[in-house]
Each structure stands twice: as C-alpha cells, then as structure tokens.
Amino acid sequence: MHFLEELAKTFPEDRLLIDKELLSPYESDGLTAFAVTPRAVLIPETQEEVVEIVRACVKHKVPFVSRGSGTSLSGAALPVETGIVIALNRLNRVIELDPERRIARVEPGVVNIDVTKAAQVHGLHFAPDPSSQIICTIGGNVAFNSGGAHCLKYGMTSNHVLGLKAVLATGEVVEFGNSSLEDTGPDYTGLFGGSEGMFGVALEIILRLLPKSETFHTILAGYNSLEKAGDAVSAIVASGILPGAIEIMDRLAIDAAEAAVDAGYPEEAKAVLIVELEGPQEQVESEKRELETIINASNPIEIQVAKDTTARLKIWKGRKSAFSAVGRLSPDFIVQDGVVPRKRLGEALRRIEQLGKKHGLRVANVFHAGDGNLHPLILYDGTIEGELERGENLAGEILEMCIEMGGSITGEHGVGMEKRSYMPKMFTNDDISFMKKTRTAFDPDGIANPGKMFPEGQAPALTLYGLHPLEKKGIISRE
Amino acid sequence: MNCPSSIEKATEFVRGAKQIIPAGAGTKHPKKDTLGTLDLSGLSGIIEYEPSEYIFSARAGTTITEINELLNKNGQYLPFDPPFINAGATLGGTIACGLSGPGRLRYGGIRDFLIGIRFLNGEGRIIQAGGKVVKNAAGYDYPKLFCGAMGTLGILLEATFKVFPAPRATRTLELTSKSKMAAIETLCNITLTQWEPDALEFYPEENKLLLRLAGNPDALDARLPKILQELGYCDAKILPDDEATIEWNALQEFHWTPRDAYILKAPITPKEIPELEQALSLNDVKRHYGLAGNVAWIATADTKALEEISTILDNLGLAAIKVRGNLERFIYGKTRSHKIHGALKEAIDPLGKFPVLQ
C-alpha cells in the first residue's frame, strides 16, 4: 500500500492535507526567504498518531519535518519537497504540573508562554523566554535550543529540560532523563536538545520550573554613542553583579521601536542599554545602589528607572518588538544571531557598521549584550536589483567576523537551513563527520528534517525576505 | 599504565590501543595498572581564562583546586560545587562522572556550565564541540552528552566552562524537624519560596536540613530575620561561618561516607524519599539527600549490600550510577534499555575501544 493511502486509514481529510492551497501555510517558517511545498501535511492529535506517522515514514523512507508554530528564523521547519510536514500544534497538553517537584510535563505543541501561565498559580515560571514566546512551541524550543533575553543568568532551553520522550527516526520510542534535576549515564536529554529535529520527534518534555523572582528592577540608560553603552556593560560585568538581562539597541532599532510601540525611549540617544536585576528584594535593593553608581559613572545622557510593572513592561515591549518594528523602516531585512566574546562587542559593532557602508546597506542592531549575542538586522529593498545579494554577502561577512573573533555563527536561532554553509568555517571535517555519524545512529535513512545543519545539499531558490504574515499583524515578534 | 605528556602522545596511544580506560586522578575510580589504562593527569593546565567573558578553558587533567584558586582571585566560581576537590578531582573525571554538588540547586549542574569540549574519538581523531562563548547553538551538544558518560564515548582533552561572579557572602541555616516527613515538607516549602536558596540538603538520620543563602552581606542580614520567622515551625539556627564551611566541605568531599565505601548517585524527587528511606533503613547503609531532595547519595562498603540496594531501587523504579568504588559495574537499580544506546555507542566508538557502561 502506498504511503499516504496507509496514513489515510487513520487520518481524515482535514488532518491529512494534500491540496495545494491547504499546504501553502506550511511552505515557509519565520525565514520567509525559503519556501517549499511539501507532499502532504499531517495533523496528529495524539502521541500514538505521531508514532504511527514516523513509523510509516521509516517504512516508506519518506522524509518528515516536524513543525510547531513555524517561528524559526533559521529555516528549521522548511519542508522537503518529497516529504511530509508533521504539524504538532494539537499536541498541546500540559500533562502534569507538579509544584512539589517543580516540573511541568508537556507535549511539544504547547506554546512557551502557556507553560508559565499554567505554572504561575504556584508562583512558578518557565525561564526561557524567546521573543516569540507568545506563539512559539516547546517542541521547537527544544529542537533548536532556543534562547531569549535571560540566558546569561538562566541559560538556554536545554538547561531547563530534565527529560523527554521521543519517537526517533528509527521508529523507536525512547525516554531520556527523568523528573529529577539529576540523571545517570550519558546525558541523552542534553544531546537531543538542539539536534534541530534531525533525531526524531519529541512527544513529551519534562521542564524545570523556577519560582518567579520576588522583585525586578529595570533601568534604561541612553548614550550618545554605542561604545559608551558597551563600556557600561563591561563595567557591570566586572562589578560582580549578575543581572537577569543586559540588552543594547542602536539608534535605528530605537527608531523602529518608537514607531511601532511608542516605548518612550530617549530621543537623542545613539544607543540604549536595558539592565534588569531580579531576585530577592533585599538583594535587588543592594545591587540597585551599586548598579546606579556604575551607570552614573558611564556618562549616560538619560536614565529611566521603571517605577512599576507597567513601566517595566513598556521598556520590554519596545525591546521585544524591535525586530518586527524594523519592518517599518525597510521593506525587507535579514537577521543574524552570531555571537562574539563580550569584550569585543564594541569592535564587532564598528566592523558591522563598516561592512554596512561597504555594501551600501543600513544595519540596525539589537543585541543581548550580556552574552555577546548580536542581532544585526540588515535592511534592504528586494525590488532593487542586487540588494538581496548584497544583503546576503553582508550577512555572511558578519558571520565570518564572529567566527574570527572566537565566537559562534548562532547563539539561539540554530543553524537550520540558513547557516549550514558556515558550519565548515566553525568546525573541521572531522567534527562534521562525527556529527553525521551520530545523526546516522538516530536516523539511518536520513529522513528526519534532512537538509538542515550540514553544509551540503541543494538549497531551494531564495525568494524575497520579508516579514512573516503573523509579524505583519503584530502577533509575533523576533528575538 | 600510560601517562602521556602531550595530546600527540595521547593520540598515538589511542590509535594503537585495542582497549582504553581513561583515568584522571583516581579519586572516584582507582586507577588500575593495566595495559589499556590511559592516565590523563599529565595533560593538565589552564589554557585560557577570560574573567570578562565568564569562561575558562583547561586541559582535562587539571585539578579543580587549580581552577578554583584562579577563579577565587578574580571573584568568580564554579556554581555547581564539584565534589572531591580536596581529594584531587580533575575536570575530566568530574565531567565523565557527571558530578555536581550542593550548589547545583540554584543555577544548574555541570551539564549546564560545560560549554565546549575537545576529545579524542576511538579513531584517534580530535573532535571539538560547543565553543568558547557563553551562548552558542551551533552543532550537536556533545558537551552535555559527555557529562556522565563515564569515559565510554571518548577521551576528553580539554573543556571550556562558563563561570559566574561569586556571591560576596553566604549564610547557612540548620533546620531540625520532628520527623523525616516534617523535614521533607519544610524542604518542599523552601523550594517554592522566592529566597533563591543556593543549596538545600537533607540529612535523613537527624531530620535535619542545611540551607545556604548567597548574596550581598547586607541583603542577607536584612532577609535572615524574616526567613527565621517564616521557618518558626521548625528548630532553626544560623551556623557561624566557620562551622558552616566545615559542614559544606564535608558534603562536597563526602566525609560522611566511610573511606572505602562505594557511593551511588540516584536521581530522585522529594515525593519518593519516604519510601526509599523506609526500604533502606533495613540495611546498614549511609544516605544523604542533596539538591532539595533531587538526588540520593547512598554509600556502603559492602558489595552484598550494594546488590540489595540495587534491588530496592529497582523496585521503586529508581536508577543509580556508582560514582566511587573500583567495581566494573556502574549501573544499579532500574535500567532503561533502548536500541539507540547501543547504536549511538557504536556510531561514536565503532572499534569498541572504550568501555561499555554496565
């Protein structure tokens, strides 16, 4: 029996999509430059159905790409033409929420923010907070080891995954880890995190929850140069304070945020720095005084201290909306998420500016300054001949700069489709061949999310970059 | 025994050897003088330390003492409290055993702070994974996989860790309850507070909890009276700094276990502790529960008792791994067997040079 006929026995028409117009929403993810129409989209409602689909794929050697909300910025959920997409959104149950063990056991289609919503009655929250958290799913967060603004202190998604159940690309259903903070033997849970969907599909994930911080102190400082903002970061880091978040935005990004949400950022500033302290009241009180001294000494032109939660959220709203807001300044843009050592941030920004001039393109910068994670937004107009190519070249040169400085090509978006050609610049042939062997153990036929992470393979033709339709509506935003 | 002084010599050995058992300082699994033993204590030394980046890289044979001395000078620390420091533990051995101490509670364990590794695979090729920046999502996360792999997947050569600024002060509270159940209840209550406990350990034989708070001294002293008030339902006292240091050091060094005892680490949750306690009280074994009831450390010098403990753990659905003692067997209690375990081992070590975790 043919592959789809076999699945049609379980899946009714509305959960096995084959009509072209029904497939079109699945052609792209957050990286809209790429679009591929899959053979079919399967919409399972139970874990058993996911297992059934994967086993059918194994039997017929059909490639599959699992997908949550499709917010990936690296083309992680780009379909394969000969394969299917497994849309996991209906596997969205919080199976267990246990305050005593401080864990949540969830299905992969649960939206990131919904974990915190379910946990907050117990005063708990799920720490990883990618900017797309109101729509991105835990399955995608785990597969790409997503980050957010609070990684310096709390780490990335993998640091909050204690265990998981998954169906591998061999059809085997496995359990790794457990509900405890500790584990025995090799950390398979850790290996599965960030494997970019190439090992299989997670069915259940055990997340670590943390008590919500007792208090927050958020301060925004405006500077007349990016360099001064960068120096302030160095001074904070050297002081021994460990803030929950340290973010910087440049003028272009500030303009975008202002135009979009009227965040009230300083009008004259060339850069703004956002620092957030969080923790027990007395500790924050003590660090607050220290931070104030450091910021005052860093020559800001304006300081705003969030007096209450509303003011705090306003500061964050500007920051979190900055990416999609850049869409107001330019019809198209490319975003990168390379990492450089923190002490070289100033140098990196100067070089990005020079590279932008060289290619005749504007670059807006929003970045997680605490951990050196850059987010240059390269603005271009796809209707002007040659701008897309120049933008691509500029993006590539920025990534090469990150590697040269001893950093990484990706801090939190993953390699996916987008950055795979840069893997050989960061890793040796031996490293990559070792990764491939590992992958083969999980996926001997190469059917799980093929074409991602590794350099070879035919890339689909580039189309215009632009905002995701949901971004245009202001529903989602980027990190 | 082979004790290479350079990566080249280690590579040469790995290429030529049929069986390889990597060893560090032997603080947990005594080194055996066999043909296959590869003593990595000669490959030591700090390669790079960037206080401003919160990272350091060092060779696998470097002792944690050496690392800590350097970090201390710069007001930084390894927040996961690696154990057996005074005994001479190395970075490589600590990674291979996947060991973290009481401090894991607050910011995470060794798996959360190890951000990059270089290792030799069975073919004698050097593989690097992860990186030297605190945030990185490129490539598969082998640093995590190697935590707890017990030397079965490759020979660690170098490791890069994320570090944090050290808290300026700590305060330790000793809380004694009327019963084990009451102590466990207190423990659960504390984990739901917003005090951000730095460490919380349970001594079952004394119905006692040891709670460590870390932060600025003025902040801690302002908070402590309120905490004591909230903990009014148990007998709470503040330990003087010197006494507290001794207590925490004893935990980190496992002084509560007899020197020749085997030590098992069993992941657990507070809910399962009462049952395990009841079952284990039949045997003459020492227990301690760390990480707010997330790990059971079980120690006995008797190999027969070890078997009994394994059965007890299995019946309760708990797994354990031996972290000290010179038996070939590492895995106790409930075992989980998936085909991928074997397939992964074969893919990573096709010539079968490294030990099989058993």
Side-chain angles (χ1 to χ4, degrees), chain B residues 56 64 67-68 71 76-82 91 103 113 161-164:
Chain B
F56 74 86
I64 293 175
I67 304 286
N68 279 354
L71 294 178
Q76 296 185 333
Y77 80 133
L78 285 167
F80 58 90
D81 277 352
L91 280 182
F113 285 87
F161 279 89
K162 166 168 131 173
V163 297
F164 271 168

Side-chain angles (χ1 to χ4, degrees), chain B residues 11 31 37 50 57 59 63 72 93 123 138 193 210 218 222 227 239 245 253 264 282 292 306 311 319 340 343:
Chain B
T11 308
K31 282 186 264 201
T37 300
E50 291 282 356
S57 301
R59 292 183 188 89
T63 63
N72 279 342
E123 295 164 276
T193 65
L210 206 61
D218 56 331
I227 290 177
L239 288 192
T245 306
E253 299 296 325
L264 298 184
L282 302 170
L306 208 54
T311 310
I340 187 63

Side-chain angles (χ1 to χ4, degrees), chain A residues 4 13 33 40 117 148 161 223 234-235 253 307 316-317 330 371 391 413 420 424 438 471:
Chain A
L4 287 178
E13 264 176 23
K117 279 184 185 162
V161 176
Y223 295 88
S234 304
K307 294 264 181 281
W316 277 112
K317 196 172 177 198
S330 170
D371 45 35
H413 299 169
R420 52 186 194 161
T438 305
E471 280 184 290

Side-chain angles (χ1 to χ4, degrees), chain B residues 181-346:
Chain B
M181 288 307 285
I184 294 170
E185 204 183 316
T186 306
L187 176 146
C188 289
N189 290 344
I190 293 172
T191 59
L192 285 172
T193 65
Q194 295 172 313
W195 309 340
E196 291 192 9
D198 189 58
L200 180 58
E201 303 278 310
F202 173 42
Y203 300 69
E205 283 159 51
E206 300 155 72
N207 305 330
K208 181 179 101 177
L209 299 175
L210 206 61
L211 166 66
R212 186 169 71 203
L213 299 158
N216 289 354
D218 56 331
L220 293 172
D221 291 336
R223 186 64 182 246
L224 270 180
K226 295 178 209 164
I227 290 177
L228 283 171
Q229 202 177 3
E230 282 177 66
L231 289 170
Y233 53 88
C234 53
D235 178 13
K237 69 169 184 188
I238 302 171
L239 288 192
D241 280 353
D242 51 345
E243 245 179 77
T245 306
I246 293 170
E247 284 269 3
W248 291 111
N249 187 253
L251 284 180
Q252 226 170 331
E253 299 296 325
F254 285 83
H255 287 160
W256 56 274
T257 65
R259 254 185 185 284
D260 57 346
Y262 302 101
I263 303 174
L264 298 184
K265 174 183 93 171
I268 196 167
T269 65
K271 275 187 181 163
E272 297 150 325
I273 294 176
E275 257 188 315
L276 179 63
E277 270 301 295
Q278 199 171 19
L280 283 181
S281 61
L282 302 170
N283 294 284
D284 182 24
V285 292
K286 294 253 180 202
R287 295 100 50 210
H288 177 82
Y289 298 89
L291 306 179
N294 274 271
V295 62
W297 302 103
I298 307 165
T300 179
D302 178 4
T303 45
K304 221 179 116 210
L306 208 54
E307 295 300 322
E308 285 170 37
I309 295 165
S310 187
T311 310
I312 288 169
L313 290 170
D314 195 14
N315 290 339
L316 294 173
L318 296 170
I321 194 148
K322 183 197 64 190
V323 296
R324 191 176 78 184
N326 62 355
L327 293 173
E328 302 266 304
R329 180 176 171 191
F330 282 85
I331 297 172
Y332 295 83
K334 185 189 155 201
T335 51
R336 213 185 248 161
S337 172
H338 295 314
K339 282 185 195 146
I340 187 63
H341 296 150
L344 190 61
K345 167 86 167 118
E346 208 181 305

Side-chain angles (χ1 to χ4, degrees), chain A residues 130-315:
Chain A
S131 284
S132 54
Q133 71 182 137
I134 58 163
I135 191 157
C136 65
T137 62
I138 296 296
N141 291 174
V142 171
F144 279 75
N145 195 10
S146 304
H150 293 81
C151 293
L152 176 64
K153 187 170 178 182
Y154 296 102
M156 300 167 54
T157 299
S158 283
N159 304 108
H160 300 269
V161 176
L162 302 176
L164 52 87
K165 179 177 158 195
V167 54
L168 304 180
T170 53
E172 186 183 25
V173 174
V174 299
E175 283 180 62
F176 298 148
N178 57 75
S179 296
S180 161
L181 292 178
E182 271 288 355
D183 196 4
T184 57
D187 191 340
Y188 299 109
T189 312
L191 180 68
F192 196 91
S195 61
E196 307 209 345
M198 301 169 88
F199 291 173
V201 185
L203 301 169
E204 263 180 47
I205 301 133
I206 305 172
L207 302 172
R208 172 192 189 204
L209 302 173
L210 298 176
K212 189 179 176 229
S213 290
E214 191 170 52
T215 193
F216 297 88
H217 175 71
T218 311
I219 183 164
L220 180 141
Y223 295 88
N224 58 16
S225 77
L226 262 175
E227 202 137 11
K228 278 186 189 155
D231 290 344
V233 174
S234 304
I236 294 165
V237 167
S239 74
I241 298 178
L242 185 61
I246 312 177
E247 305 278 308
I248 292 181
M249 292 164 70
D250 72 1
R251 186 65 241 173
L252 207 48
I254 300 168
D255 284 342
E258 281 301 312
V261 298
D262 190 19
Y265 289 173
E267 277 171 25
E268 303 298 318
K270 293 262 172 21
V272 297
L273 167 70
I274 301 169
V275 185
E276 184 160 274
L277 301 173
E278 51 184 88
Q281 206 144 10
E282 297 80 0
Q283 179 68 20
V284 170
E285 206 50 53
S286 169
E287 289 179 348
K288 196 164 120 181
R289 291 190 291 271
E290 215 172 322
L291 179 65
E292 208 174 86
T293 314
I294 297 168
I295 299 277
N296 283 336
S298 66
N299 293 316
I301 54 171
E302 189 179 328
I303 296 176
Q304 294 177 11
V305 176
K307 294 264 181 281
D308 51 28
T309 310
T310 317
R312 176 180 165 246
L313 294 180
K314 197 175 168 192
I315 290 178

Side-chain angles (χ1 to χ4, degrees), chain A residues 82-128:
Chain A
T82 54
I84 58 157
V85 167
I86 309 174
L88 294 163
N89 308 67
R90 293 193 191 174
L91 269 84
N92 60 357
R93 282 160 284 245
V94 175
I95 301 165
E96 183 188 1
L97 201 135
D98 183 351
E100 203 173 319
R101 291 183 292 174
R102 288 171 298 134
I103 58 131
R105 199 151 52 88
V106 306
E107 288 183 329
V110 169
V111 169
N112 174 298
I113 195 81
D114 289 345
V115 179
T116 291
K117 279 184 185 162
Q120 65 194 8
V121 288
H122 305 290
L124 297 168
H125 80 298
F126 179 56

Side-chain angles (χ1 to χ4, degrees), chain A residues 336-349:
Chain A
Q336 288 293 358
D337 81 314
V339 184
V340 297
R342 191 167 27 214
K343 66 174 177 191
R344 298 185 74 171
L345 268 177
E347 186 190 343
L349 292 168

